């Protein structure tokens, strides 16, 4: 019953707003919807511990006090139950949708999860409010609700920003927060500092383009960056007049205590160090005993080759920041292609050409670290593999002498 009442309220609001939009006579517009009773606000939700909410969330609040209606416009609706959701997300083929929900339900959702919600009431004229509401109505039409999600370039925050700023009659000028040198990777690192494996996964897939400097507008993909910009923005009207973009800022949900992150106990660096010790120890043992533990090479080439297939697949992703990734020099899919001939050569104490090529690629990978930020521990992994194959080359040469 409560859900029915909420939906009835949304329907009433849309009918009311549509009536105001389609009526040409000003007295009728005013009787349909009094813009003096309407407030439009930006809602910024603080980050939570879930991987998909580490960076926060943005929505729009529309209040009509005269009609006692209060809604949240949400551009972050998705479903894990859709077929191949994770695979589609990785390849940039995820569709998100815009939805309208009761603000009280929206508020309770975040309050029960300990995430604060900051509201910034916008300093808008009647015409601007009407233009924004008209845009929301058009965007809510079934054929317009769904959009192709892209985390850095087209997400729930940039959608909310665009529908607000595109309908303001003036120029927006930001007075502070000059961080033009920050990259996408640096910005998300500030949020996943305590989720080391989530950061590792991001850094493994993100390529060199994620380390390029970003513009002020590009940095607004993060909800809190947009919130800070709105707090320090002014609208330059066409007649040269100035007014602050935000008239009031307050917490509609106070930040609560969130549960501490309880992930895998070992960090990526710890695992990389263990990997280094084990691989180097076996390599030294081989070198001293003049034995050929080719099974270790089967395991190493299989693991790195499998990871390389994932990185190679990213070349075809619609995410621009994953297409050029220097980590593919180390995690190379060719290791799977040359696995059998390489192992066959090792069993005969012969160095296959792929091992020589891979050693060169690993050196190039290490040099590439000056240009791209690699996933945590990958330099250690590369060093252990390089040491192994230098020792193995030396071992084979000595055996054949």
């Amino acid at each position: 019953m409560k859900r029915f009442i909420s939906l009835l309220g949304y329907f009433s609001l849309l009918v009311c707003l549509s009536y105001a939009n389609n009526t040409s006579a000003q007295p009728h517009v005013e009787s349909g919807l009094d813009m003096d009773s309407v407030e439009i606000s930006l809602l910024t939700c603080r980050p939570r511990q879930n991987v998909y909410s580490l960076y926060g969330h943005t929505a729009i609040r529309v209040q009509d006090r005269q009609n006692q209606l209060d809604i949240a416009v949400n551009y972050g609706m998705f479903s894990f139950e859709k077929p191949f959701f994770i695979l589609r997300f990785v390849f940039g083929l995820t569709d998100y949708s815009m939805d309208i929900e009761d603000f009280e339900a929206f508020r309770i959702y975040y309050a029960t999860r300990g995430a604060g919600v900051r509201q910034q009431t916008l300093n808008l004229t009647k015409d601007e409010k009407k233009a924004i509401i008209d845009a929301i109505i058009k965007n809510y039409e079934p054929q317009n609700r769904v959009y192709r999600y892209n985390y850095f370039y087209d997400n729930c925050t940039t959608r909310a920003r665009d529908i607000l700023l595109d309908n303001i009659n003036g120029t927006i000028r930001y007075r502070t927060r000059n961080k033009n040198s920050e990259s996408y990777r640096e910005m998300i690192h500030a949020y996943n500092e305590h989720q080391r494996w989530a950061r590792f996964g991001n850094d493994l897939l993100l390529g060199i383009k994620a380390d390029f400097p970003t513009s002020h507008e590009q940095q607004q993909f993060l909800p809190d960056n947009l919130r800070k910009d709105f707090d320090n923005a002014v609208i330059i009207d066409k007649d040269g007049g100035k007014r602050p973009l935000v008239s009031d800022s307050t917490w509609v949900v106070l930040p609560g205590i969130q549960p501490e992150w309880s992930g895998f106990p070992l960090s990526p660096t710890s695992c990389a160090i263990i990997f280094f010790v084990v691989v180097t120890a076996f390599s030294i043992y081989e070198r001293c005993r003049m034995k050929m533990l080719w099974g270790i090479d089967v395991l190493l080439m299989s693991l790195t080759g499998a990871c390389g297939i994932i990185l190679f697949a990213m070349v075809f992703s619609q995410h621009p920041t994953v297409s050029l990734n220097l980590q593919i020099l180390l995690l190379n899919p060719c290791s799977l292609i040359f696995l059998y001939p390489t192992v066959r050569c090792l069993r005969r104490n012969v160095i296959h050409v792929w091992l020589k090529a891979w050693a060169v690629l690993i050196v190039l990978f290490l040099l590439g670290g000056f240009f791209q930020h690699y996933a945590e521990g990958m330099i250690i992994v590369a060093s252990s593999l390089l040491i192994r194959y230098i020792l193995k080359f030396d071992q084979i040469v000595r055996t054949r002498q």
Side-chain angles (χ1 to χ4, degrees):
M1 186 63 179
K2 183 177 180 181
R3 178 65 176 167
F4 173 76
I5 293 174
S6 298
L7 291 174
L8 183 61
Y10 304 155
F11 178 75
S12 300
L13 176 62
L14 290 176
V15 170
C16 183
L17 299 183
S18 298
Y19 177 78
N21 181 53
N22 296 326
T23 307
S24 58
Q26 184 65 25
H28 288 185
V29 172
E30 295 299 330
S31 63
L33 183 66
D34 183 5
M35 288 297 169
D36 287 330
S37 71
V38 172
E39 281 189 353
I40 299 177
S41 308
L42 184 75
L43 300 174
T44 304
C45 310
R46 294 190 66 182
R48 293 183 286 127
Q49 297 295 339
N50 309 81
V51 173
Y52 59 85
S53 58
L54 281 176
Y55 312 103
H57 182 54
T58 300
I60 299 171
R61 183 182 184 183
V62 179
Q63 296 171 273
D64 180 8
R65 302 185 187 280
Q66 184 180 43
N67 293 290
Q68 297 182 344
L69 294 174
D70 196 354
I71 61 171
V73 180
N74 191 342
Y75 285 92
M77 306 305 293
F78 66 93
S79 174
F80 283 120
E81 297 179 358
K82 289 188 176 182
F84 308 108
F85 177 85
I86 295 178
L87 190 63
R88 290 177 61 85
F89 185 88
V90 169
F91 281 95
L93 301 174
T94 309
D95 289 332
Y96 274 41
S97 65
M98 171 253 209
D99 197 13
I100 293 176
E101 57 185 308
D102 179 62
F103 173 75
E104 183 61 16
F106 181 91
R107 188 194 68 80
I108 291 174
Y109 176 86
Y110 283 92
T112 55
R113 287 159 176 77
V117 178
R118 188 75 176 177
Q119 173 178 290
Q120 294 166 292
T121 304
L122 303 182
N123 185 21
L124 305 172
T125 65
K126 292 182 180 181
D127 289 340
E128 289 167 344
K129 292 177 186 178
K130 183 178 180 299
I132 291 172
I133 291 172
D134 290 344
I136 291 174
I137 293 171
K138 184 176 181 179
N139 208 171
Y140 193 61
E141 293 175 359
Q143 69 272 20
N144 298 328
R145 294 179 195 175
V146 178
Y147 69 98
R148 181 56 51 86
Y149 178 88
N150 186 292
Y151 176 64
F152 288 137
Y153 302 103
D154 193 358
N155 64 14
C156 58
T157 300
T158 61
R159 285 265 162 169
R161 175 200 65 190
D162 292 345
I163 204 166
L164 293 173
L165 300 189
D166 289 349
N167 292 284
I168 289 178
N169 297 320
T171 303
I172 306 298
R173 180 175 297 172
Y174 303 106
R175 295 179 291 190
T176 59
R177 203 181 65 78
N178 184 19
K179 297 183 179 180
N180 289 336
S181 62
E182 280 194 313
S183 67
Y184 284 120
R185 196 188 307 269
E186 288 172 333
M187 285 185 282
I188 64 175
H189 275 189
Y191 289 82
N192 57 25
E193 180 180 0
H194 301 292
Q195 288 77 21
R196 301 280 287 276
W197 284 102
R199 172 186 287 193
F200 176 86
N202 286 338
D203 286 341
L204 190 63
L205 296 180
L206 290 175
I208 193 170
K209 294 180 181 179
D211 294 302
F212 292 168
T214 56
S215 67
H216 193 98
E217 184 180 47
Q218 288 175 322
Q219 294 170 19
Q220 292 176 345
F221 81 98
L222 282 172
D224 206 49
N225 280 356
L226 184 64
R227 178 192 63 81
K228 292 175 182 177
D229 281 348
F230 270 38
D231 265 340
N232 297 284
V234 294
I235 303 172
I236 311 296
D237 295 322
K238 294 181 179 179
D239 60 1
K242 296 182 180 180
R243 53 190 163 106
L245 176 60
V246 174
S247 61
D248 180 65
S249 182
T250 185
W251 291 102
V252 290
V253 176
L254 291 174
I257 300 176
Q258 298 189 35
E260 293 186 1
W261 178 263
S262 56
F264 189 69
L266 295 178
S267 69
T269 296
S270 299
C271 292
I273 291 174
I274 294 173
F275 180 88
F276 180 91
V277 171
V278 172
V279 171
T280 305
F282 275 112
S283 301
I284 293 174
Y285 175 82
E286 278 184 312
R287 174 68 178 76
C288 294
R289 296 289 184 177
M290 301 301 288
K291 293 185 177 181
M292 186 63 65
L293 302 178
W294 54 268
I296 296 176
D297 298 291
V298 171
L299 179 62
L300 293 176
M301 292 180 68
S302 298
L303 290 175
T304 55
C307 294
I309 290 177
I310 297 174
L311 297 188
F312 178 73
M314 291 299 98
V315 174
F316 306 98
S317 173
Q318 291 191 15
H319 291 296
T321 52
V322 302
S323 58
L324 180 59
N325 191 338
L326 298 183
Q327 290 171 112
I328 201 170
L329 297 172
L330 173 66
L331 306 175
N332 200 304
C334 291
S335 290
L336 290 179
I337 298 174
F338 296 108
L339 177 59
Y340 176 73
T342 299
V343 172
R344 187 175 60 180
C345 287
L346 288 176
R347 296 183 68 178
R348 293 188 287 111
N349 279 329
V350 176
I351 302 172
H352 190 272
V353 66
W354 169 245
L355 285 186
K356 297 178 183 179
W358 196 20
V360 173
L361 292 176
I362 293 174
V363 173
L364 294 176
F365 166 84
L366 294 172
L367 294 175
F370 291 101
F371 305 97
Q372 177 181 328
H373 184 102
Y374 294 146
E376 181 181 345
M378 292 306 296
I379 296 292
I380 300 174
V381 171
S383 300
S384 64
L385 292 175
L386 187 60
I387 290 173
R388 173 169 180 76
Y389 290 111
I390 289 175
L391 292 175
K392 187 172 286 294
F393 296 160
D394 181 68
Q395 175 188 342
I396 292 175
V397 170
R398 287 177 176 271
T399 302
R400 300 182 65 183
Q401 286 180 348

